[in-house]
Amino acid sequence: MPDFFNFLKPKNELENQGEFAENHPYIPEELWIKCPVCKNAILSSDLMENHKVCTKCGYHFRLSARQRVELTVDENSFAEMDADMMSTNKIGFPDYEKKLRNAKISSGENESVITGSCTICGEKAIIAVMNSKFMMGSMGTVTGEKITRAFEYATENRLPVIVFTVSGGARMQEGILSLMQMAKTSGAVKLHSDAGLLYITVLTDPTTGGVTASFAMEGDIILSEPKALIGFAGPRVIEQTIRQKLPKDFQSAEFLLDKGFIDAVVQRKDMKSTLAQLIRLHKENDEGGAAL
Amino acid sequence: MSAYDHVTAARANDRPTSVDYIKRLFGDSFFELHGDRRFADDKAVIGGIAELNGKPVTVIGLEKGRNLKERMARNFGSAHPEGYRKALRLMKQAEKFHRPVICFVDTSGAYCGIGAEERGQGQAIAENLMEMMTLKTPILSIFIGEGGSGGALALAVADEVWMLENAIYSVISPEGCASILWKDPSKTAEASECLKLTAQDLFKLGVIERIIREPKDLESRIFDSLKNLIADTFEKKAAIPAEKLIEMRYNRFRKF
């Protein structure tokens, strides 16, 4: 005889606490996913179909770099560059090798960014996508190097660059060499810009620290996903510094839009067509002038 | 001296600040310029024009203040976006009038606060990094005390970076590093060691070109030799065509 109570997980093991948890049998999380914002359970197939955007409240779940590429570029058009480049422990920081190993396992990637060429609705572009699953998208030497090479390649081949950012900032384990990546990437962005080429940044949740204070804020056009947290200092650091609570929605994409620091908040479902439209508007003809 | 001894020395209250260096190196020739023309005048950044051995230079310094009253007014040397924008305005002005730029860096970091975020701290720093990289005039940055992360780098995308013997330059404060790494901010000494933040370490890593001896007091003759060293350096840089200078600056950072 089946034991009915086996269907109910003990309360403290349930992810979905509160009323929902008390009144409903346990449902495997592969089937249902709880939205961290509206707390509703969403059928995971519905969530996937909706580009991992909550069907109830519109919360944009975080995507891995590969998922992001898949949603953004034309099928089979992504040709990855520098895929095998890997970080080493250059300043001998304690346990960094272990951290890197774990990050590789948990993310399935070699670094916190993937770069490559692609087409978006037929338009050629260089794309760099950061990955929060690799050490919270922190910027190490290889992260900076891959982004720099992507820009240098784009400058040489006169292509637009699109960067999706997600980052906790500099990578402490690489010390000053991490900080130098801010200057290095900014230099590559500047040469690309001086060549008259288009750079679009798409800020995703969360983008902070050294990435915000370098290439994330250097786009000709800066877009963001709804509700993304964007800032220089993280909210906790600010609260500790000023010893007061921050207002709600402080450092949200909408807040930055209001303050004049980003151009538009774009829904995930509209991102690909928006990028394609912006690239088209900046397309060069054979003489190097605008195509229109 | 341990790395942590350098941290303590770099933060010491009796250390000469940018104002002291400006006075010793440029005397009465320094004329202060104020404001970013957009929002306000950030007193954490002091800037102006001065004469160095008879030649005009643009001078920019992060200023902590020398007593409590000054420190409050200068926000302890932590600049807001308007401070970085003032610095960039003066650098662009230096480019226009073909005079070199000298930056004195002494800050625990760019300020973290509501106003700083609202006015785009990240954007202000990012713009400096980008614009300094291709500024068509020589830039020299001297770290005289603390060099705290992006807030220091925003005045250090330079042709050469020099550091005082006891100055430090780091991606994160040792306290911040210790609390993230060991959840224990008291392990600051260990963290200081790990971060490789001393002038000696940074010289070995190729992050800086020169280590400057510490002046014992404000009357020290070190200021005179520093003055000549800066003048010599600018003279050599001035002989390099702007395009070549920018290429060298790009490669200086490209190597990391």
Side-chain angles (χ1 to χ4, degrees):
Chain A
M1 189 184 128
D3 181 359
F4 171 75
F5 290 100
N6 270 350
F7 288 94
L8 280 168
K9 269 197 146 186
K11 200 172 157 189
N12 58 1
E13 273 182 38
L14 276 167
E15 245 192 298
N16 304 335
Q17 295 282 348
E19 208 181 315
F20 180 87
E22 280 168 22
N23 300 331
H24 292 75
Y26 169 70
I27 299 153
E29 62 173 331
E30 306 87 57
L31 263 182
W32 293 89
I33 289 165
K34 189 175 114 177
C35 172
V37 173
C38 72
K39 314 287 180 207
N40 278 307
I42 319 147
L43 202 57
S44 79
S45 56
D46 286 355
L47 189 66
M48 292 306 158
E49 223 165 273
N50 203 32
H51 308 313
K52 285 188 94 174
V53 174
C54 175
T55 50
K56 305 266 166 47
C57 75
Y59 169 74
H60 285 51
F61 282 75
R62 287 180 192 171
L63 295 177
S64 75
R66 300 283 159 188
Q67 288 171 324
R68 184 79 64 182
V69 168
E70 203 176 299
L71 275 182
T72 311
V73 311
D74 299 337
E75 216 177 331
N76 298 325
S77 75
F78 182 63
E80 194 172 349
M81 310 185 328
D82 304 314
D84 299 330
M85 209 180 274
M86 278 182 256
S87 293
T88 53
N89 192 359
K90 283 193 186 142
I91 65 163
F93 202 92
D95 294 332
Y96 183 35
E97 286 95 346
K98 202 165 92 192
K99 270 240 152 64
L100 283 171
R101 246 193 332 271
N102 291 343
K104 277 180 206 168
I105 293 165
S106 62
S107 67
E109 302 287 351
N110 284 331
E111 245 307 329
S112 62
V113 69
I114 57 174
T115 55
S117 61
C118 67
T119 61
I120 299 169
C121 303
E123 305 298 335
K124 271 175 119 173
I126 296 300
I127 189 168
V129 184
M130 301 187 80
N131 198 339
S132 61
K133 291 198 171 77
F134 194 104
M135 295 186 77
M136 202 43 235
S138 63
M139 180 148 67
T141 311
V142 171
T143 317
E145 182 65 21
K146 285 172 85 167
I147 288 169
T148 302
R149 285 185 186 202
F151 272 97
E152 287 176 339
Y153 180 87
T155 306
E156 212 168 287
N157 294 282
R158 302 203 61 80
L159 290 167
V161 178
I162 292 161
V163 177
F164 284 83
T165 62
V166 55
S167 180
R171 188 174 298 166
M172 185 179 73
Q173 290 84 352
E174 294 196 21
I176 201 78
L177 300 177
S178 169
L179 194 71
M180 292 299 112
Q181 303 313 310
M182 291 168 64
K184 184 170 93 178
T185 53
S186 296
V189 172
K190 185 62 167 39
L191 297 192
H192 182 259
S193 177
D194 286 352
L197 299 165
L198 173 68
Y199 170 32
I200 304 173
T201 48
V202 184
L203 313 178
T204 74
D205 185 59
T207 296
T208 59
V211 167
T212 300
S214 62
F215 57 86
M217 282 292 162
E218 292 168 347
D220 298 295
I221 295 172
I222 304 177
L223 309 177
S224 174
E225 284 201 328
K227 302 269 172 12
L229 173 83
I230 303 153
F232 172 66
R236 245 180 314 158
V237 176
I238 300 172
E239 285 182 344
Q240 279 164 13
T241 308
I242 64 173
R243 289 162 212 273
Q244 63 185 80
K245 272 278 195 219
L246 292 170
K248 200 174 160 275
D249 295 332
F250 183 71
Q251 297 183 307
S252 68
E254 292 73 14
F255 174 88
L256 265 82
L257 182 69
D258 185 52
K259 297 293 171 197
F261 285 98
I262 60 176
D263 290 290
V265 176
V266 178
Q267 300 283 331
R268 191 172 284 167
K269 66 177 169 52
D270 301 326
M271 192 60 78
K272 182 175 178 173
S273 57
T274 303
L275 291 172
Q277 183 196 5
L278 290 172
I279 295 170
R280 247 176 246 131
L281 288 167
H282 293 85
K283 217 167 160 181
E284 297 177 318
N285 61 22
D286 290 341
E287 282 81 48
L292 293 173
Chain B
M1 253 175 115
S2 73
Y4 187 60
D5 292 335
H6 286 276
V7 173
T8 313
R11 292 171 174 172
N13 275 343
D14 57 352
R15 219 181 149 72
T17 65
S18 289
V19 166
D20 295 315
Y21 280 85
I22 291 168
K23 206 166 181 185
R24 304 294 144 183
L25 296 174
F26 311 111
D28 293 335
S29 77
F30 178 70
F31 184 80
E32 190 173 358
L33 301 169
H34 292 276
D36 70 342
R37 301 293 187 270
R38 283 162 170 79
F39 181 75
D41 183 44
D42 188 340
K43 289 170 186 61
V45 177
I46 181 167
I49 329 165
E51 255 179 55
L52 178 71
N53 289 355
K55 288 196 178 138
V57 290
T58 285
V59 183
I60 300 162
L62 284 157
E63 174 59 36
K64 283 187 172 177
R66 292 164 299 179
N67 51 51
L68 187 62
K69 202 176 152 210
E70 277 186 25
R71 283 184 198 113
M72 303 274 282
R74 304 252 182 218
N75 199 30
F76 299 83
S78 282
H80 280 75
E82 48 272 23
Y84 294 109
R85 292 187 182 121
K86 167 160 89 176
L88 184 59
R89 176 175 82 84
L90 298 183
M91 286 188 238
K92 290 279 184 188
Q93 191 186 65
E95 181 181 52
K96 175 178 174 183
F97 295 105
H98 309 288
R99 55 178 177 247
V101 178
I102 177 161
C103 298
F104 296 102
V105 178
D106 189 13
T107 181
S108 59
Y111 190 64
C112 302
I114 291 180
E117 292 291 326
E118 281 179 341
R119 299 194 290 279
Q121 188 71 285
Q123 189 276 337
I125 294 171
E127 190 169 3
N128 279 23
L129 305 185
M130 235 178 137
E131 294 301 325
M132 287 177 83
M133 193 61 90
T134 54
L135 200 79
K136 294 186 196 71
T137 196
I139 310 172
L140 168 66
S141 294
I142 305 180
F143 284 57
I144 57 170
E146 271 187 287
S149 201
L153 181 66
L155 290 185
V157 181
D159 299 298
E160 288 195 19
V161 177
W162 301 351
M163 277 176 85
L164 270 287
E165 244 178 297
N166 289 335
I168 57 168
Y169 188 10
S170 178
V171 69
I172 186 171
S173 72
E175 289 80 4
C177 175
S179 60
I180 294 172
L181 203 61
W182 296 294
K183 314 266 176 268
D184 182 359
S186 70
K187 290 197 172 174
T188 309
E190 289 93 322
S192 307
E193 211 66 56
C194 295
L195 286 165
K196 303 276 183 286
L197 45 65
T198 68
Q200 288 290 346
D201 284 333
L202 295 163
F203 185 79
K204 276 185 225 150
L205 288 165
V207 174
I208 63 167
E209 277 75 15
R210 197 184 277 279
I211 300 174
I212 310 287
R213 215 150 26 103
E214 292 281 330
K216 289 244 165 8
D217 54 64
L218 290 176
E219 307 315 314
S220 170
R221 282 171 51 203
I222 285 176
F223 289 105
D224 291 329
S225 55
L226 182 59
K227 185 171 165 177
N228 292 328
L229 200 58
I230 297 167
D232 281 356
T233 304
F234 280 150
E235 203 170 313
K236 281 185 196 130
K237 301 283 178 202
I240 304 169
E243 258 174 48
K244 179 77 188 156
L245 188 72
I246 290 166
E247 189 191 319
M248 287 163 69
R249 196 182 300 147
Y250 185 81
N251 289 330
R252 187 186 181 281
F253 291 94
R254 184 65 187 86
K255 68 176 189 256
F256 295 110

